Amino acid sequence: MRIGVLASGGGSNLQALIDHFRLVSSGRGAVAFVASNREDAGALVRARDAGIRAATVASPGDGDALLGLLRDAGVELVVLAGYLKHVPLAVVRAYHGRMLNVHPALLPSFGGAGMFGTRVHAAVIAHGAALTGVTVHFVNEEFDRGAIVAQWPVAVREDDSAETLAARVLRTEHRLLPLCVEGVAAGEITLGDDGRVHGVPDRLRPDFLDLLR
Ligand code: GRF
């Protein structure tokens, strides 16, 4: 499946996807297109270094333009990897069940408008949460509220700052996102007509109790 990635930042999640489909799971998908709303985004540099078609989204709010970019590149599955713009409805609808987002917290907690970057982790720490984590979900019309594919826990440490916590959560994103994208690209993980996610393997929904010692 041809994967298109939208990113606004440095692109470490994009890099994790590129590496995963080139080195770990080459037969089940490939990052074929990268776009950013910022022409100076590190994600575009990573794409070009990897020989992947890259573009700047001049007007992120223009659904027809974005849809044209994705379709011209033959994108079948869209991944929002640190994309900070709202995806126009026309694009969300065109890619229903074929658009994923990664969020650096356990949605629905610490999500929604304004919850991105270190603000998320600062809020987690301010609330004294013992556990945060990563959420990968299908994108629907409500920001950060699409059907959840997988979540993975990250413990909050007593001496954590928003930055140290962000770094551990980001490393977890790099591991969880590619596995979720691979499952959807391979047709194993699907968004059913019932609005629920089907086919998530046990390794992405383990019995965490087994890890409690
Ligand atoms: C990070 O803050 C990550 O938690 C979130 O968006 C940002 C993306 O970072 N998903 P990068 O551009 O993938 O390095």
Side-chain angles (χ1 to χ4, degrees):
M1 200 174 260
R2 291 175 61 83
I3 299 161
V5 179
L6 302 185
S8 302
S12 68
N13 274 298
L14 164 67
Q15 193 65 57
L17 288 167
I18 291 169
D19 297 346
H20 180 81
F21 285 102
R22 285 189 174 176
L23 308 172
V24 175
S25 171
S26 53
R28 308 186 92 188
V31 178
F33 178 65
V34 176
S36 179
N37 56 299
R38 289 181 41 200
E39 59 187 9
D40 63 343
L44 294 180
V45 176
R46 291 179 189 268
R48 293 183 180 115
D49 287 352
I52 295 171
R53 180 170 165 176
T56 303
V57 184
S59 27
D62 180 341
D64 293 338
L66 181 53
L67 211 40
L69 279 176
L70 293 168
R71 284 180 169 153
D72 287 353
V75 170
E76 299 165 281
L77 172 58
V78 179
V79 180
L80 309 183
Y83 186 63
L84 299 181
K85 289 294 180 186
H86 194 70
V87 180
L89 208 44
V91 183
V92 171
R93 286 186 174 146
Y95 282 93
H96 177 75
R98 296 185 296 129
M99 183 181 289
L100 294 170
N101 180 50
V102 59
H103 182 77
L106 296 177
L107 292 175
S109 298
F110 304 107
M115 272 293 165
F116 58 87
T118 47
R119 293 185 195 184
V120 176
H121 311 292
V124 166
I125 292 169
H127 282 76
L131 198 64
T132 185
V134 176
T135 302
V136 177
H137 62 93
F138 283 104
V139 174
N140 68 2
E141 292 147 24
E142 278 185 276
F143 201 66
D144 280 351
R145 296 306 303 264
I148 290 172
V149 173
Q151 296 186 294
W152 208 265
V154 175
V156 183
R157 297 201 178 126
E158 206 171 309
D159 58 351
D160 261 328
S161 64
E163 289 68 27
T164 59
L165 182 55
R168 276 205 316 283
V169 172
L170 190 57
R171 281 210 318 274
T172 306
E173 292 175 54
H174 295 163
R175 298 275 295 274
L176 186 64
L177 180 61
L179 293 176
C180 294
V181 173
E182 177 188 338
V184 176
E188 290 163 357
I189 298 174
T190 57
L191 178 61
D193 295 339
D194 58 358
R196 300 183 67 79
V197 180
H198 301 277
V200 179
D202 290 348
R203 68 171 175 166
L204 293 182
R205 292 202 175 175
D207 183 345
F208 291 105
L209 184 60
D210 294 343
L211 306 176
L212 189 59
R213 287 183 298 279

